[in-house]
Amino acid sequence: MEGTTLETRMLADTLGAFGEGSASTISPERGILLLEGWLNALRGDVGAERIVAEAGVLRDHLKSGNIDGDTVRHLLINMASHTLAISNEPSVDGTTSGRLKQLASALRNFSSQF
């Protein structure tokens, strides 16, 4: 994930939505929009297949209206782990790496609310 415009915008939007992650309130509708944005931004990104798959599952789960906290927490933790792994890839520049690590931390913190 190297800083294409849509990826950079989605990273900024997502970090803004989560803040520090521990006291954030994100409605399912906002979550769906963020996830759909990420699915568009990461389409075809070879290194992000696992995140794309889990983002799709989470989006569909939120759309179902039958939200299970354990499922959401599990998916967020997995996405955080995959995001952290991508942040350490040699092809990711230092600024993006730092922001991805921040996102991974926010996802973990947010997952504790479920």
Side-chain angles (χ1 to χ4, degrees):
M1 181 167 128
E2 287 190 10
T4 64
T5 306
L6 184 54
E7 289 172 347
T8 303
R9 220 175 43 226
M10 285 308 306
L11 187 53
D13 288 351
T14 305
L15 287 172
F18 279 114
E20 292 302 311
S22 58
S24 299
T25 302
I26 299 176
S27 69
E29 295 79 17
R30 175 87 189 271
I32 291 166
L33 290 174
L34 286 169
L35 290 163
E36 288 178 346
W38 277 112
L39 290 169
N40 286 327
L42 297 175
R43 182 175 293 132
D45 189 327
V46 175
E49 299 99 343
R50 284 185 249 173
I51 293 173
V52 169
E54 289 173 341
V57 170
L58 181 54
R59 179 205 52 202
D60 294 345
H61 183 71
L62 294 175
K63 279 184 169 183
S64 77
N66 297 319
I67 299 170
D68 174 63
D70 288 337
T71 299
V72 172
R73 180 177 41 257
H74 175 74
L75 290 166
L76 289 171
I77 289 170
N78 284 347
M79 289 168 55
S81 294
H82 298 314
T83 300
L84 186 59
I86 288 172
S87 75
N88 292 315
E89 290 291 323
S91 61
V92 177
D93 67 75
T95 301
T96 303
S97 176
R99 295 185 82 199
L100 287 171
K101 288 176 182 171
Q102 184 181 358
L103 177 57
S105 178
L107 288 169
R108 272 199 192 93
N109 290 341
F110 187 68
S111 74
S112 68
Q113 295 181 39
F114 294 91

